[in-house]
Amino acid sequence: MPEEGINKREFLSTATGALWGAKLTAQAQGRPPNVVLIYADDLGYGDLGCYGSRIPTPYLDHLAANGARFTNFYSASPVCSPSRAALLTGRYPTRSGVTAVLMPDDRFGLPATETTIAQTLKPAGYRTMCVGKWHLGSAAPFLPTNHGFDEYYGVPYSNDMWPLKLLHNTDIIEDPTNLTTLAERYTGQAVNFINRSKSSPFFLYLAHHIPHIPLTPSEHFKGASGLGPYGDSVAELDWSVGQVLRALAANRLSGDTLVMFASDNGPWFQGSTGRLQGRKGGTFEGGVRVPFIARFPRRIPRGQVCQGVSTTMDILPTVARLAGAPLPAHVLDGVDIWPMLTGETDEAERDLLLYFDGWNLQCARSGKWKLHVSRYNSIAWTPDPPGGRYNLPLPNPELYDLAADPEESYDTAGDNPQIAARIRSRMEELLPTFPGPVMNAWLTTMSYKVQGGPAGALPVRVA
Ligand code: MG
């Protein structure tokens, strides 16, 4: 594919950020941009070619080469449902209450009091469609069509859950769903939506179910990567992205469309974290740091690498700004990262980035520093150990310099006690700004101590 747009140097030399921004704002006044958000499931930070993987991902590499690629981008949760709640609302999942993975028979989901990206964009005249994995409640009141999406096509939870029902809007159209052809059908739905949405701005949320287990690449992709079913599934995901990009180009919409790609959490049994520690289900970097790529020809300089801290929660305020849509009236945790995307700034102004697991606040990041204050004695997807699963306070909170040590191998709290104390203090200041269960979980965790040596260690509550 040819290169698109301009690079950062050309971008800054063509006009100052202000002048360029003013010109583009004027251009955009006639019609707000289309937004395509593609979300992978359990794709690791190191699973794309442009992030160092051996898996062939030419389309995503092309997208990164013609836009911005982020190296410190985070999901707000290490598991599926809370990650998606945060993505679509711009808020930590502890605010919406979606703090755990939802099951098919759960009668709970994303509350109606939350405002999704789709609901934010609807008043600005957007057509909206969700294709793929929803996982924010499968009972009727919680489905996408009750959260701002005009249309829905997909399995409303993970592909390893049963019964595996495929929905069109609220109707079951297949049960059980044929997983081998599902990625191809999701792609077809996405392309079809683009083809019939030229007359108005649109928001397409394509939430693939891959490479989450079970790994079921289509016949065409079996053996395509030389890296087993996981590699084949990532290759198929990349193909799907390519079809979406081709559809935009065929409709002459590439220049009017912001395309974003991310993953909901780190890799599970297979997949690469890019040498980051931890995996899905934990708050080490491998569980929550994910790829993020954004392309908007002539508006985002091509070939940018953004190293500043950013999160899926930033997408809602950023998109709202581009669309000229008012922000939801409640507290948002994401910030507008448009100045990062355009290269005007390296870092967005934000408070601590918090790492929750369920209701538990376990870590916080401030600039290059990350402080761990508590940790489970078992990660989420392994059987509970004898004595049960507890979120336990670390006897000595651990401080990592993620710029020098992204693997979180060397605790430097002893060398930097004031930094550790400052972050810890700010975490405690922020606790009361969250719903009550967050403080309750904190107080419960901090009331434990570990009894005995490592072999027989059991937590006991401190009186
Ligand atoms: Mg996931």
Side-chain angles (χ1 to χ4, degrees):
M1 282 190 172
E3 289 189 336
E4 303 159 353
I6 56 176
N7 63 29
K8 185 174 179 181
R9 192 168 149 211
E10 292 162 346
F11 178 91
L12 293 172
S13 65
T14 302
T16 65
L19 281 173
W20 188 256
K23 182 180 174 188
L24 290 165
T25 300
Q27 285 175 353
Q29 278 175 351
R31 174 173 156 169
N34 309 308
V35 177
V36 174
L37 174 57
I38 304 173
Y39 212 41
D41 195 357
D42 293 7
L43 177 84
Y45 179 75
D47 279 328
L48 303 180
C50 52
Y51 283 84
S53 177
R54 289 187 293 129
I55 301 171
T57 56
Y59 289 109
L60 282 157
D61 298 349
H62 174 83
L63 197 69
N66 288 284
R69 179 175 72 85
F70 282 58
T71 61
N72 282 277
F73 189 86
Y74 293 88
S75 168
S77 169
V79 292
C80 300
S81 298
S83 163
R84 289 153 204 273
L87 170 79
L88 291 180
T89 64
R91 288 150 59 84
Y92 287 110
T94 44
R95 295 201 192 278
S96 62
V98 183
T99 59
V101 172
L102 296 173
M103 304 304 288
D105 57 356
D106 279 340
R107 300 293 94 187
F108 174 71
L110 187 69
T113 49
E114 295 295 318
T115 305
T116 65
I117 296 174
Q119 287 165 313
T120 303
L121 295 178
K122 282 300 292 178
Y126 278 71
R127 285 169 55 87
T128 56
M129 184 170 188
C130 172
V131 178
K133 175 174 171 175
W134 175 242
H135 218 177
L136 290 172
S138 50
F142 305 108
L143 288 171
T145 46
N146 278 320
H147 278 293
F149 289 97
D150 300 324
E151 299 173 63
Y152 176 56
Y153 179 99
V155 174
Y157 32 75
S158 294
N159 54 327
D160 63 344
M161 294 179 174
W162 205 259
L164 198 60
K165 295 175 178 174
L166 179 66
L167 302 187
H168 180 217
N169 296 328
T170 57
D171 300 327
I172 299 168
I173 59 171
E174 191 173 319
D175 180 15
T177 303
N178 181 344
L179 288 176
T180 307
T181 59
L182 192 58
E184 189 175 347
R185 288 187 283 165
Y186 282 169
T187 305
Q189 289 289 326
V191 168
N192 179 270
F193 176 71
I194 292 169
N195 288 343
R196 56 189 167 83
S197 299
K198 285 178 278 190
S199 59
S200 65
F202 62 82
F203 170 47
L204 170 63
Y205 172 44
L206 172 55
H208 267 294
H209 63 296
I210 49 179
H212 191 294
I213 60 167
L215 299 164
T216 55
S218 69
E219 288 299 323
H220 188 69
F221 282 92
K222 274 184 184 169
S225 70
L227 293 168
Y230 187 93
D232 297 346
S233 295
V234 174
E236 186 161 21
L237 173 69
D238 181 71
W239 166 83
S240 175
V241 172
Q243 301 315 298
V244 170
L245 299 181
R246 286 181 185 278
L248 291 171
N251 287 287
R252 299 181 179 276
L253 292 171
S254 301
D256 302 316
T257 305
L258 171 62
V259 179
M260 293 171 286
F261 176 90
S263 177
D264 69 336
N265 49 251
W268 204 353
F269 298 104
Q270 295 191 36
S272 170
T273 64
R275 303 184 68 179
L276 299 173
Q277 187 176 167
R279 302 180 80 78
K280 174 182 180 178
T283 51
F284 279 111
E285 293 293 287
V288 286
R289 197 189 294 199
V290 292
F292 180 64
I293 300 168
R295 185 196 74 173
F296 199 156
R298 297 181 299 283
R299 300 189 70 173
I300 296 174
R302 63 176 160 78
Q304 267 213 98
V305 178
C306 297
Q307 297 181 324
V309 174
S310 186
T311 156
T312 53
M313 297 181 291
D314 297 338
I315 290 174
L316 185 149
T318 304
V319 166
R321 167 202 174 128
L322 290 175
L327 291 173
H330 48 214
V331 172
L332 289 182
D333 297 300
V335 300
D336 177 5
I337 57 167
W338 186 245
M340 288 176 71
L341 288 164
T342 58
E344 292 167 50
T345 60
D346 296 326
E347 284 276 4
E349 280 191 33
R350 71 174 71 245
D351 207 322
L352 298 181
L353 178 70
L354 303 176
Y355 299 60
F356 288 96
D357 192 341
W359 294 106
N360 296 298
L361 176 55
Q362 294 188 327
C363 317
R365 180 159 181 182
S366 174
K368 68 177 184 177
W369 300 105
K370 178 178 177 184
L371 186 73
H372 290 245
V373 299
S374 69
R375 192 170 297 149
Y376 279 109
N377 58 343
S378 166
I379 54 175
W381 45 275
T382 56
D384 288 345
R389 180 169 176 255
Y390 299 89
N391 186 53
L392 299 173
L394 295 173
N396 298 298
E398 299 166 9
L399 182 70
Y400 295 98
D401 175 353
L402 293 185
D405 176 27
E407 298 93 343
E408 296 166 281
S409 298
Y410 307 107
D411 171 21
T412 65
D415 296 335
N416 302 283
Q418 291 172 332
I419 294 169
R422 173 178 62 79
I423 297 175
R424 166 78 181 227
S425 172
R426 184 61 185 150
M427 291 171 82
E428 292 183 339
E429 286 175 1
L430 291 172
L431 284 168
T433 70
F434 287 91
V438 172
M439 180 66 87
N440 293 341
W442 177 272
L443 294 175
T444 300
T445 295
M446 296 306 158
S447 71
Y448 283 119
K449 69 175 183 179
V450 177
Q451 190 178 52
L458 283 176
V460 294
R461 185 80 63 88
V462 178

